[in-house]
Amino acid sequence: MKVVAIIPARGGSKGIPNKNIIDICGLPMIAYTINAALNSNIFNQVVVTTDNQDIKNVALSYGAYVIDRPSHLAQDNSSSLDAVEHALKYIIEQDNTFTHFALLQPTSPLRNEQHIIEAFDVYRSKNTNSLVSVNLSAVPPQKTLVEINGQITPLTNLNDLTQNRQNLPKSYHPNGAIYISKIDDFLKDKNLFSDPLSIYTMDEQSSIDVDNFDDLEKVKNIFANLKNKEDIFTNLISLINKSLISKTNSQAYEKALEIYKTEDFVKVIDVLSRLDKLSFDEISLIGVVYFKLQEFEKSKPFLEYCINKDPKKSSKQSWLYYFNIIASQNDLKKCKDIINQVIKYNKMDVRFAKTVCTKFQNSELYEELELLEYVYPFYEKNYSGKPNKAISNAYARFIELKSNKLNFAENNIDIKDLEVLIPTYNRGDTIYKTIQTIKQHNKNIKIRIVDNASPDNTWENLNKACNEFNNISIQRNNENMGYSYSMLRLLKESQAKYIIFTSDEDPVYPTNLKKAIDFMRQNNIDYMSPIFIKNSQIYRGKSYVDEILPSDFGVSSAYTSALIFNRDFLLSHIDFLSKHIMIKHQAYPQVLMSMFCIIKGKSYWWNEPLAYMANSLASDFSADVGDNKHNGVMERWRQFTIFLNFCSELEATAENSTEKDKALSIKQKLLQTSIQTLKNAARREFPQYKEYFI
């Protein structure tokens, strides 16, 4: 993108003579626009098009390039679009590599370089053909009356006139400060509003267009006030630079603190600006107040001083605001450093963690998403409620990108006492791809598979895999015995202490597997539920390592894949488990096993994924437990009954009060969720009656 700024400025202003170069607080008005364009560092060239020699001289003195506008394009009735067209054609003749332009009218002196930068950020991110700067309409146009041929009528319709303003769509009007377009598009149709159109919203003050002497007086007063604020800021900064620092707070500090609570932030600055020395607390308060005033560049040196001087004493609010400023400057290295210091000095809270996550929740870049690694676990663990989906999806993207970056060369090691168990049915092509994917990541990993008497080519492809890869054991049921039977058979016939169940279309990535097994071994864990990602979303798991609560038994065992069990622990109670798992059409054996481990054993969340749902392995599938009828109302009720009976028996045979309490907690959770789950099942099964299931 090669961009030129066009500033149209004719000399024949009638309302205010010599308006474009009239003095405003020591500068000719056009100088504010030229300076803003140059300081934005957006433009390859800043051009003023004018018919007036005085304007030309001023423009040249402030660093603009000048195009002489023909007199017929500088009349009272001349269109500024004609002048822009003339300027663009001239520019293209000189250099045809320019692709975009911005039209910046000189009568918007309060539009600054930051506005231009932000407008271009919006333009690029929206990927539209044109952008126009606007401000929010104070009165919705739908509430406007117009006169047409002597008849007064609503602009839209009568109903809109009586609507609450909040119920009407937001409306904007162009303020004339910034227009951005593609040069080719404009030269083709001479239109600044080409579809698709994006907008950049500015505040009312910055949008002032100097058209008359009243506007001019307003702008002069605003600039005078800004200059006064700048002088105050300069004086406050000089106190820090001269090390005029007090060890104790002044009496003015308490007064400023009281004013701060009323949110009269300008007055806070006024009170503290009268001091000849500043304390640490006063410097911190000034930094916070400037941030509240959205004067971030002024806030930065004060917050930075406090954080560098005494990071432990600096408030969590100061750390948060400082991070916001650095993040807005896209200094990712500094952002990471701030996050590490926040952790080091125990300044992390949910607000800080959520701010970081929200800032990068829409990113696709690894370097940005990497920052979530440091804060998302804290956010998820401490946030009162379910994490925002956009944030959790961003964390899932980070995990996937991180996995892609890992070097798998060191993972072709033998993970002792581990076997991957896969029950399969009617997955001829998919099961082979699943094995192939697992073996690509670790050729030595042990895999045991039971084919549930598939009528397709599953068994043939399993034999093919056995001939191609090592450490594969396959068995076949003589008839379709159901999913639970296959899982139970795998459990009994495995030769490993640790078993990881996976479905026949979810490849296991052993990158994190050895670490997970080592953790289980070192901490005597019986069941572990890792993060499970499907379609770049987290469907199961936590971003931190922690004990699984009884109330989380369901979410911890959602989806079979990558659940890891201590097989010895399960086998020591195999008769009890078999009795409940082998109930006809039991669709969720892993839920019973996880429930058992949570009540009687030691169960933990694991904060890394051990398997991914691979879109490339998707296949048409009807479960061998009744063609998905297990999602119906009666089957859901039967499942709840199985779970409740299982829990009740565990409660009755509990060996201690802890086991009893855990079993009771799971029962309560089941009862709480049963009604809603049954209603959802009813809506699915009987959509024609869904309005009754409220």
Side-chain angles (χ1 to χ4, degrees):
M1 181 186 287
K2 191 170 181 181
V3 194
V4 60
I6 305 292
I7 304 171
R10 71 184 186 92
S13 172
K14 295 289 190 294
I16 304 175
N18 298 316
K19 177 172 66 174
N20 286 313
I21 55 174
I22 197 166
D23 181 84
I24 299 179
C25 297
L27 289 179
M29 183 162 64
I30 196 172
Y32 289 99
T33 295
I34 295 172
N35 288 340
L38 293 171
N39 292 337
S40 72
N41 293 317
I42 294 286
F43 304 105
N44 300 89
Q45 193 171 40
V46 175
V47 172
V48 171
T49 168
T50 185
D51 64 318
N52 182 276
Q53 188 62 42
D54 290 336
I55 294 176
K56 179 177 181 178
N57 293 339
V58 170
L60 290 170
S61 70
Y62 281 93
Y65 180 82
V66 176
I67 293 176
D68 293 319
R69 189 193 306 187
S71 59
H72 71 275
L73 297 179
Q75 305 303 310
D76 289 344
N77 59 353
S78 297
S79 167
S80 60
L81 296 182
D82 292 334
V84 171
E85 180 185 36
H86 170 265
L88 286 175
K89 285 181 176 178
Y90 179 88
I91 291 163
I92 292 299
E93 285 177 7
Q94 308 302 312
D95 184 350
N96 64 6
T97 62
F98 279 99
T99 58
H100 293 72
F101 77 97
L103 171 60
L104 308 173
Q105 67 177 17
T107 53
S108 300
L110 290 163
R111 172 251 297 110
N112 57 38
E113 61 264 29
Q114 191 60 36
H115 293 128
I116 296 172
I117 292 168
E118 290 173 1
F120 266 91
D121 285 343
V122 172
Y123 180 68
R124 292 188 186 101
S125 66
K126 298 293 184 182
N127 195 28
T128 51
N129 285 340
S130 54
L131 174 142
V132 58
S133 62
V134 300
N135 59 312
L136 196 61
S137 300
V139 178
Q142 297 91 332
K143 289 184 169 290
T144 304
L145 295 171
V146 293
E147 184 175 355
I148 301 175
N149 298 327
Q151 183 76 30
I152 303 299
T153 182
L155 181 63
T156 53
N157 58 65
L158 281 170
N159 185 50
D160 284 346
L161 289 174
T162 57
Q163 283 278 355
N164 289 330
R165 187 174 61 180
Q166 293 82 356
N167 296 334
L168 294 170
K170 286 184 179 179
S171 57
Y172 308 88
H173 61 269
N175 61 12
I178 306 170
Y179 299 90
I180 304 172
S181 285
K182 296 176 182 176
I183 292 175
D184 286 346
D185 288 350
F186 179 83
L187 291 178
K188 185 167 59 178
D189 57 19
K190 212 155 47 171
N191 179 13
L192 293 170
F193 302 90
S194 298
D195 285 332
L197 173 70
S198 55
I199 60 171
Y200 169 65
T201 307
M202 294 171 59
D203 62 89
E204 189 174 349
Q205 178 175 288
S206 302
S207 299
I208 294 176
D209 177 15
V210 178
D211 186 51
N212 52 50
F213 282 105
D214 286 341
D215 297 331
L216 182 63
E217 199 60 31
K218 282 182 191 176
V219 168
K220 285 183 176 181
N221 289 335
I222 291 168
F223 272 118
N225 188 37
L226 289 173
K227 187 177 186 307
N228 182 48
K229 287 183 179 180
E230 196 62 40
D231 291 341
I232 290 173
F233 169 74
T234 303
N235 290 337
L236 289 169
I237 283 292
S238 70
L239 296 180
I240 298 177
N241 293 339
K242 294 176 183 177
S243 298
L244 295 173
I245 311 301
S246 172
K247 291 183 179 180
T248 58
N249 296 329
S250 67
Q251 290 181 344
Y253 175 71
E254 296 302 325
K255 181 180 178 182
L257 210 54
E258 288 301 313
I259 296 170
Y260 174 83
K261 293 174 184 176
T262 69
E263 299 190 357
D264 189 351
F265 301 126
V266 172
K267 194 171 182 181
V268 173
I269 296 293
D270 182 56
V271 168
L272 295 176
S273 68
R274 299 169 193 171
L275 300 174
D276 54 6
K277 284 187 178 182
L278 295 173
S279 69
F280 183 95
D281 291 338
E282 287 160 351
I283 295 170
S284 177
L285 182 58
I286 291 169
V288 167
V289 166
Y290 271 130
F291 189 92
K292 293 282 191 181
L293 290 168
Q294 298 189 9
E295 298 186 55
F296 305 124
E297 283 304 309
K298 291 181 179 179
S299 172
K300 182 181 176 182
F302 296 100
L303 296 177
E304 201 164 50
Y305 174 88
C306 293
I307 283 167
N308 291 337
K309 187 75 174 175
D310 195 339
K312 288 184 180 180
K313 188 177 179 182
S314 294
S315 66
K316 291 180 179 180
Q317 187 180 30
S318 294
W319 280 104
L320 172 65
Y321 289 173
Y322 185 54
F323 173 83
N324 271 314
I325 294 168
I326 300 302
S328 69
Q329 298 169 344
N330 294 316
D331 188 343
L332 296 180
K333 185 178 179 182
K334 185 68 175 176
C335 284
K336 187 184 291 188
D337 179 58
I338 293 170
I339 293 169
N340 286 328
Q341 288 188 73
V342 165
I343 295 169
K344 177 181 177 180
Y345 295 112
N346 197 29
K347 299 296 180 179
M348 179 75 73
D349 59 14
V350 170
R351 188 166 64 144
F352 184 93
K354 187 176 181 181
T355 296
V356 178
C357 292
T358 304
K359 170 70 178 174
F360 301 106
Q361 68 182 21
N362 296 318
S363 177
E364 300 287 340
L365 299 176
Y366 178 81
E367 293 75 16
E368 293 180 344
L369 292 172
E370 186 183 20
L371 298 179
L372 272 65
E373 182 176 23
Y374 304 91
V375 297
Y376 180 80
F378 183 95
Y379 165 68
E380 184 184 28
K381 191 171 185 178
N382 295 281
Y383 183 64
S384 58
K386 198 172 182 180
N388 178 289
K389 190 164 186 179
I391 293 175
S392 65
N393 288 350
Y395 188 70
R397 289 198 300 277
F398 160 70
I399 290 174
E400 289 186 314
L401 289 170
K402 182 181 179 182
S403 178
N404 293 335
K405 280 178 167 286
L406 291 174
N407 184 352
F408 293 106
E410 296 179 357
N411 288 290
N412 286 326
I413 57 177
D414 184 14
I415 306 175
K416 294 181 179 180
D417 297 331
L418 171 71
E419 199 165 38
V420 177
L421 308 182
I422 308 177
T424 188
Y425 177 78
N426 260 11
R427 289 290 209 278
D429 296 330
T430 307
I431 187 63
Y432 177 81
K433 292 178 184 176
T434 299
I435 296 169
Q436 187 181 51
T437 303
I438 294 172
K439 288 297 185 177
Q440 282 174 350
H441 289 85
N442 189 325
K443 66 182 180 182
N444 293 319
I445 197 164
K446 302 179 186 71
I447 304 175
R448 183 177 295 271
I449 305 168
V450 166
D451 173 24
N452 198 20
S454 302
D456 67 352
N457 63 339
T458 295
W459 184 245
E460 288 76 9
N461 278 339
L462 287 175
N463 279 281
K464 176 185 173 184
C466 279
N467 293 329
E468 188 172 339
F469 306 107
N470 65 347
N471 289 334
I472 296 181
S473 175
I474 61 173
Q475 288 81 32
R476 190 168 194 255
N477 297 331
N478 293 328
E479 58 180 301
N480 188 334
M481 300 295 292
Y483 178 67
S484 293
Y485 177 88
S486 295
M487 284 191 71
L488 195 61
R489 180 177 178 180
L490 286 164
L491 169 62
K492 290 178 178 179
E493 294 180 1
S494 175
Q495 301 298 308
K497 178 176 180 178
Y498 295 101
I499 54 175
I500 174 169
F501 283 105
T502 191
S503 88
D504 45 13
E505 57 181 20
D506 304 342
V508 173
Y509 293 166
T511 306
N512 302 320
L513 196 49
K514 184 180 184 304
K515 192 180 357 176
I517 297 300
D518 287 344
F519 180 82
M520 288 188 75
R521 188 181 291 114
Q522 292 161 10
N523 294 279
N524 299 314
I525 293 171
D526 301 306
Y527 161 58
M528 202 151 71
S529 179
I531 286 177
F532 181 65
I533 294 177
K534 175 184 176 184
N535 301 328
S536 297
Q537 296 180 43
I538 296 175
Y539 274 68
R540 185 192 69 220
K542 304 287 184 185
S543 57
Y544 51 88
V545 177
D546 201 2
E547 189 170 3
I548 299 174
L549 299 175
S551 58
D552 287 333
F553 80 92
V555 291
S556 79
S557 54
Y559 295 90
T560 307
S561 287
L563 299 177
I564 313 179
F565 293 93
N566 180 338
R567 176 173 167 269
D568 292 346
F569 180 75
L570 293 178
L571 287 180
S572 66
H573 302 84
I574 194 63
D575 292 339
F576 181 87
L577 287 168
S578 298
K579 169 185 164 185
H580 291 273
I581 287 175
M582 284 312 298
I583 294 174
K584 186 179 180 182
H585 293 322
Q586 168 57 260
Y588 304 103
Q590 82 277 8
V591 177
L592 294 181
M593 287 189 281
S594 65
M595 199 186 297
F596 183 85
C597 291
I598 290 170
I599 292 171
K600 284 189 165 290
K602 193 174 181 182
S603 304
Y604 267 74
W605 297 108
W606 181 246
N607 65 336
E608 293 179 316
L610 307 179
Y612 290 91
M613 177 71 78
N615 293 331
S616 61
L617 302 181
S619 62
D620 294 330
F621 172 59
S622 293
D624 59 344
V625 290
D627 293 326
N628 285 328
K629 289 179 181 177
H630 56 285
N631 282 320
V633 180
M634 293 309 297
E635 284 301 309
R636 283 294 185 190
W637 175 248
R638 191 175 62 78
Q639 285 298 330
F640 273 115
T641 304
I642 291 171
F643 293 158
L644 284 168
N645 290 340
F646 185 72
C647 250
S648 295
E649 193 167 339
L650 282 172
E651 183 185 9
T653 59
E655 297 177 11
N656 52 57
S657 60
T658 301
E659 288 185 9
K660 198 175 189 71
D661 289 344
K662 286 183 177 180
L664 183 60
S665 177
I666 291 178
K667 282 178 65 177
Q668 290 173 338
K669 179 71 173 180
L670 281 166
L671 292 170
Q672 287 171 1
T673 59
S674 60
I675 299 300
Q676 188 59 49
T677 304
L678 290 170
K679 282 197 292 188
N680 291 339
R683 290 190 187 103
R684 286 194 301 270
E685 192 169 354
F686 306 106
Q688 67 272 37
Y689 304 121
K690 64 182 180 181
E691 68 269 21
Y692 296 104
F693 304 117
I694 56 174

